[in-house]
Amino acid sequence: MTQTYSISDLAHELDITTRAIRFYEEQDMLCPERRGLERVYSARDKVTLKLILRGKRIGFSLAECKELIELYDPSYGNQKQLETFMQKIAQRRTQLAQQLLDIEQMQIELDTAEDRCRAALAQTL
């Protein structure tokens, strides 16, 4: 028998809210079965949620997460998905490197402003 999960089971197991899970459904990233009014999630839905959460942690947008998830094709393997993921990782690293440079420059500017303020204050005493 295939493992299934309720929305509360998934929320508890992945430490997210049920509202977050419903949001991902609204974004067409999850498609649980319905049994009456109850949502029934598959093991694949659980993996999809894990991928979404991992993508968010490393700074991917929901659109990027969705793109990566949609590239998975079990009949052909996941080569295209992995290649695209590697490209996105490289892009993210480039963005982070630029952000680090921007932060370092901002710290230099803050140090300069602070030094000027201290010098101005010292002159007033």
Side-chain angles (χ1 to χ4, degrees), residues 4-7 10 21-46 48-49:
T4 60
Y5 306 88
S6 70
I7 192 168
L10 274 183
I21 294 171
R22 286 190 295 272
F23 173 78
Y24 298 132
E25 283 181 50
E26 291 167 9
Q27 300 302 308
D28 294 323
M29 298 175 84
L30 295 172
C31 298
E33 287 182 40
R34 298 284 183 156
R35 292 188 189 145
L37 296 176
E38 183 182 10
R39 294 171 167 91
V40 179
Y41 297 88
S42 67
R44 182 180 174 131
D45 291 321
K46 181 180 174 182
T48 298
L49 268 173

Side-chain angles (χ1 to χ4, degrees), residues 59-74:
F60 290 171
S61 68
L62 280 182
E64 289 172 313
C65 292
K66 186 175 182 178
E67 176 188 356
L68 288 168
I69 291 163
E70 288 173 350
L71 285 173
Y72 180 71
D73 184 351

Side-chain angles (χ1 to χ4, degrees), residues 11 13-14 19 22 33-34 43 47-48 52 64 68 70-71 73 76 91-93 95 104 106-107 111 114 116 123-124:
E13 190 168 331
L14 299 176
R19 177 68 194 116
R22 286 190 295 272
E33 287 182 40
R34 298 284 183 156
V47 169
T48 298
I52 292 167
E64 289 172 313
L68 288 168
E70 288 173 350
L71 285 173
D73 184 351
Y76 293 104
Q91 291 168 355
R92 185 68 182 136
R93 284 184 191 277
Q95 290 171 342
E104 289 168 358
M106 191 178 297
Q107 287 176 325
D111 291 344
E114 184 178 37
R116 287 182 180 164
Q123 288 179 354
T124 61

